[in-house]
Amino acid sequence: MTKICVDEQELTKKIVQDIEQDEIARSVKKLRQQAVNSSELPQAWLSKTADALENNDWSILSEDFINMDFIGKNGYFLIVAPYQINRKSRPNLALSAIYGKIHSNQEPSIEQLENLIREKFGQLNQPMPINLSFTEIASCGNVKGESGEAFIVPNGWSFPNSVRGPALNNAKEQRRRFLGSSYECIQKVFEYETASLLLGPLEDEINSERYRHVDTQVHEAGHASGLGFDFKDKHHLFQNYSYAGVEEWRADSLGFEFAACTLPAQEAGKLVAVNFCIRFGLDAHRLGGLEKDTDVYASLISLEHLFQNDAIYVTKNGQLALRNLSYPGLLQAVELHRAQALSLTRRELNLKTPTGIFYLYKVDIHPSTQSIFQALVMERCQGIWAKLQ
């Protein structure tokens, strides 16, 4: 039995390799072979994937993706389809493949978060997006490790209504990024004790994966709140990077609120630490920069609220430092994030027309915050990220 599984995994890796080498006919043949013999991957999904590749018709896979029927009984999955990413505000679509194994740590529960959304806002306008943490086995295209996305959003796939499917969080690639350049960057941007506090949850070998997963799950609950990400996407309300950046910041901040409601302050504060490591150690340094990139702008908005809340200051050495060096203190540092995001979400629910979002989703950034962000966050880490770009 073990030999069969090993052989199957090797064949699946070769399918990914064929996709990477643009050997479509060869990959279709192997997929059909797998569809007959596979004990790890859903045979119907493999057969449909072969049909989709052969006919360039990705609608074949839509329903199974949304229903998560692409995952085998032991958590193994293979997705082959065009996937779109955005770099410097430009879409990049490429045939991509990801082979991995889903983890079982899916807490807090979807039901718990959906009930919390109803409690906070009186309604839930879309199902909670599902975030699945996984370990990558093989990949290519726009979902390939270092060059692609570590957090694979569902609407990037070319399946109709793919936004209703699960997000996939690449634990292996996330860890590599955190412990690589982003780790070094956090140490440069923040003074020693603050950096140590922020990095602590990610250095926890036992719990780091769980912290990263829960952070992304409460973030997705933030997207589901208010009018809902699906509604905004359908009505083309993310017309530029700034509107999308406010949405990302809103989802972060509501995630902090949901964490505070479901976890002890010590644990909720650790999720804030993980978020800051993502925003200031990774997202702030994306190639699009402040005038093009959604995640860079979301990071800037977060820093603005930290200053407004008097939770952070600049040291004599030109580094950022938190005033309260504890995880409960870190949760207090984002009190303004939480209050503003709650207010913004309630206001969007009262809009008479969806385009009112364009008025609501404007954040005043103090010029000094932008100068600090550019000099002490972005420019300070340019040398670290230049070698990867």
Side-chain angles (χ1 to χ4, degrees):
M1 182 66 181
T2 302
K3 184 178 186 306
I4 292 173
C5 289
V6 170
D7 289 346
E8 182 174 339
Q9 288 187 11
E10 289 304 313
L11 181 58
T12 309
K13 288 178 186 178
K14 287 178 181 177
I15 291 171
V16 175
Q17 188 177 54
D18 288 342
I19 296 297
E20 187 168 32
Q21 296 172 352
D22 201 30
E23 295 287 352
I24 305 303
R26 200 159 64 190
S27 64
V28 167
K29 182 178 179 180
K30 289 188 177 77
L31 280 163
R32 296 204 191 285
Q33 180 182 340
Q34 285 279 64
V36 174
N37 301 316
S38 179
S39 60
E40 287 188 345
L41 298 169
Q43 296 179 355
W45 171 262
L46 293 173
S47 180
K48 290 178 182 179
T49 300
D51 291 342
L53 266 171
E54 206 164 45
N55 301 309
N56 196 30
D57 178 6
W58 304 102
S59 65
I60 298 170
L61 300 174
S62 181
E63 185 178 350
D64 286 355
F65 176 71
I66 292 168
N67 294 332
M68 295 189 292
D69 291 333
F70 63 92
I71 304 169
K73 61 182 179 181
N74 294 318
Y76 288 96
F77 72 96
L78 170 69
I79 300 177
V80 178
Y83 187 84
Q84 179 175 300
I85 60 174
N86 293 294
R87 292 291 184 266
K88 298 183 180 181
S89 294
R90 294 181 180 177
N92 179 306
L93 183 69
L95 184 61
S96 306
I98 184 78
Y99 173 40
K101 184 176 183 182
I102 302 292
H103 302 156
S104 59
N105 56 336
Q106 307 305 330
E107 295 291 336
S109 72
I110 299 298
E111 182 181 8
Q112 184 180 16
L113 289 170
E114 288 186 339
N115 287 337
L116 196 51
I117 293 171
R118 292 187 184 96
E119 178 186 320
K120 295 287 180 183
F121 305 111
Q123 61 194 92
L124 176 68
N125 288 322
Q126 71 167 68
M128 249 287 297
I130 297 173
N131 164 46
L132 302 175
S133 181
F134 73 96
T135 294
E136 175 192 332
I137 299 172
S139 63
C140 71
N142 283 340
V143 295
K144 182 180 175 72
E146 297 181 20
S147 59
E149 295 293 284
F151 188 67
I152 304 169
V153 294
N155 54 309
W157 298 109
S158 292
F159 316 133
N161 300 313
S162 63
V163 70
R164 292 163 50 200
L168 298 169
N169 193 27
N170 189 332
K172 178 180 175 182
E173 178 58 19
Q174 291 281 19
R175 181 170 177 78
R176 187 197 67 78
R177 293 185 184 191
F178 280 132
L179 299 182
S181 297
S182 60
Y183 184 96
E184 186 180 348
C185 192
I186 291 295
Q187 292 179 315
K188 280 186 173 290
V189 170
F190 297 95
E191 61 84 29
Y192 177 78
E193 289 184 335
T194 297
S196 297
L197 184 79
L198 296 179
L199 291 167
L202 298 172
E203 294 176 324
D204 184 337
E205 293 185 5
I206 296 174
N207 296 302
S208 61
E209 183 183 299
R210 178 171 61 85
Y211 290 136
R212 289 196 302 272
H213 167 74
V214 178
D215 170 65
T216 52
Q217 190 64 77
V218 295
H219 175 89
E220 290 302 313
H223 278 312
S225 303
L227 292 175
F229 185 94
D230 293 0
F231 177 91
K232 295 169 190 173
D233 185 60
K234 180 180 179 180
H235 287 82
H236 309 292
L237 299 180
F238 303 131
Q239 292 186 3
N240 63 42
Y241 77 97
S242 66
Y243 298 131
V246 174
E247 171 68 14
E248 281 301 307
W249 167 82
R250 188 187 72 93
D252 282 351
S253 303
L254 289 179
F256 301 153
E257 175 70 14
F258 298 147
C261 293
T262 55
L263 298 169
Q266 178 80 1
E267 292 298 287
K270 289 180 180 179
L271 297 191
V272 177
V274 170
N275 176 274
F276 282 5
C277 285
I278 294 170
R279 290 301 184 197
F280 298 111
L282 178 63
D283 289 342
H285 315 288
R286 290 182 178 268
L287 287 173
L290 267 178
E291 298 178 354
K292 292 183 179 180
D293 193 277
T294 293
D295 292 307
V296 177
Y297 191 60
S299 305
L300 174 64
I301 299 172
S302 188
L303 183 62
E304 172 68 22
H305 283 78
L306 286 172
F307 278 123
Q308 286 187 23
N309 200 36
D310 197 29
I312 203 165
Y313 66 97
V314 180
T315 69
K316 293 179 180 179
N317 294 327
Q319 290 179 299
L320 299 177
L322 288 164
R323 296 192 185 277
N324 189 330
L325 289 168
S326 68
Y327 292 113
L330 194 48
L331 187 60
Q332 291 175 2
V334 295
E335 283 180 344
L336 186 60
H337 290 66
R338 293 159 57 190
Q340 296 278 32
L342 285 166
S343 175
L344 178 63
T345 304
R346 288 170 182 143
R347 290 171 68 195
E348 77 175 42
L349 283 169
N350 289 324
L351 288 173
K352 294 181 180 178
T353 60
T355 51
I357 284 283
F358 301 143
Y359 171 78
L360 279 185
Y361 277 30
K362 290 183 179 179
V363 177
D364 291 327
I365 304 294
H366 196 281
S368 63
T369 303
Q370 183 165 332
S371 297
I372 290 169
F373 185 79
Q374 288 177 310
L376 304 187
V377 180
M378 297 176 68
E379 292 176 11
R380 178 158 288 166
C381 297
Q382 275 182 349
I384 298 172
W385 290 100
K387 56 191 176 187
L388 298 178
Q389 297 169 358

